[in-house]
Amino acid sequence: MMSSLNLSNPLSNLAAAIPLDQIRYNEQGLVPAIAQDYLDGTVLMMAWMNREALQKTLETGEGWYWSRSRQELWHKGATSGHLQKVKSIRYDCDSDALLLTIEQVGDVACHTGERSCFHQNNGKIQPPPADTLSQIFEVICNRRDHPNPESYTCKLFEGGDNKILKKIGEESVEVVMACKDDEKDAIAGEVADLLYHTLVALAHHQVDIRDVYRKLQERRR
């Protein structure tokens, strides 16, 4: 179980901040901190915080860490411009690890230029998993940019708006009918079809799914 602090307005939340005295730092006075994208859940990096770094993060709403190699505090993005705007902080049930949900400015967290530090997979550069919709959207965009005549997705792109929007209309009706019949498995399947074709429409019109997530976040109460 993890406890959390919402940092939508960090300066006003200090009174309810993570209890610095209860965080269990290791023998070097450090605690591991994982940074995770607040929209699609991608794990971006792991770094270390000491008490002062955590305090500065709470005070500024931006990511501060402790560099073990330089033995000094570092403000993430102060040089590169790739700041981390902290949305929330959680600490685990043992109070010895932190999880930060962040907005990564510039969408690059790794010093190599990759989005995530966890981009290596069996010697290949491959981004870590995100939420399912984001991963499917990535595949759809890949089909758009690298057409395969055997791909159903590519055939939708070839048909343009006429074909894509027709399918969205058909799938919407199928969702309505499944809901009307209260068939749970059918509802799940038809909604999956509708989401897929909607993602194709987004890709066709060059709209990033993260922009949709941002709209949903703005409307969240």
Side-chain angles (χ1 to χ4, degrees):
M1 185 175 73
M2 301 193 86
S3 299
S4 67
L5 164 65
N6 187 333
L7 289 181
S8 58
N9 187 356
L11 296 180
S12 68
N13 278 314
L14 283 179
I18 285 178
L20 298 179
D21 293 331
Q22 293 182 32
I23 297 300
R24 296 176 59 189
Y25 303 93
N26 64 17
E27 56 272 16
Q28 286 82 42
L30 303 174
V31 61
I34 298 169
Q36 179 184 39
D37 185 272
Y38 83 109
L39 289 175
D40 66 16
T42 301
V43 176
L44 299 177
M45 59 176 272
M46 193 287 285
W48 296 90
M49 284 184 171
N50 60 8
R51 181 188 176 101
E52 185 178 3
L54 178 54
Q55 181 71 61
K56 281 186 170 292
T57 298
L58 294 172
E59 290 175 350
T60 65
E62 296 180 352
W64 284 76
Y65 303 96
W66 175 258
S67 171
R68 294 181 298 171
S69 60
R70 300 192 304 270
Q71 288 292 295
E72 65 181 15
L73 285 173
W74 59 287
H75 182 193
K76 175 65 176 175
T79 301
S80 66
H82 297 151
L83 300 169
Q84 291 181 346
K85 298 182 179 179
V86 180
K87 299 295 185 178
S88 70
I89 296 182
R90 291 173 171 82
Y91 55 102
D92 73 345
C93 54
D94 295 320
S95 302
D96 60 1
L98 302 175
L99 177 64
L100 285 67
T101 55
I102 65 163
E103 177 184 357
Q104 179 65 61
V105 176
D107 206 30
V108 174
C110 184
H111 73 282
T112 64
E114 295 292 330
R115 182 187 181 206
S116 169
C117 294
F118 297 94
H119 60 265
Q120 301 186 73
N121 184 14
N122 292 327
K124 298 179 181 179
I125 294 180
Q126 186 178 41
D131 65 274
T132 300
L133 284 181
S134 293
Q135 292 184 82
I136 293 174
F137 184 71
E138 182 179 351
V139 173
I140 289 171
C141 289
N142 184 269
R143 295 286 190 275
R144 178 197 62 198
D145 299 337
H146 304 91
N148 177 349
E150 302 301 318
S151 165
Y152 171 71
T153 302
C154 292
K155 291 177 181 177
L156 287 174
F157 284 128
E158 289 175 6
D161 265 342
N162 286 342
K163 189 163 188 175
I164 296 170
L165 298 181
K166 180 181 178 183
K167 288 301 297 183
I168 289 177
E170 291 173 357
E171 298 301 340
S172 297
V173 172
E174 295 293 335
V175 170
V176 171
M177 296 305 297
C179 288
K180 184 177 183 297
D181 294 336
D182 195 25
E183 298 177 1
K184 291 180 173 52
D185 186 66
I187 292 171
E190 297 300 343
V191 170
D193 289 341
L194 178 58
L195 288 173
Y196 160 75
H197 287 91
T198 301
L199 292 177
V200 174
L202 289 176
H204 180 64
H205 288 277
Q206 303 287 332
V207 177
D208 197 313
I209 189 174
R210 292 171 61 81
D211 292 332
V212 177
Y213 289 164
R214 289 187 182 94
K215 292 293 185 183
L216 291 172
Q217 283 284 345
E218 291 170 2
R219 299 171 186 179
R220 184 179 178 184
R221 294 291 184 268

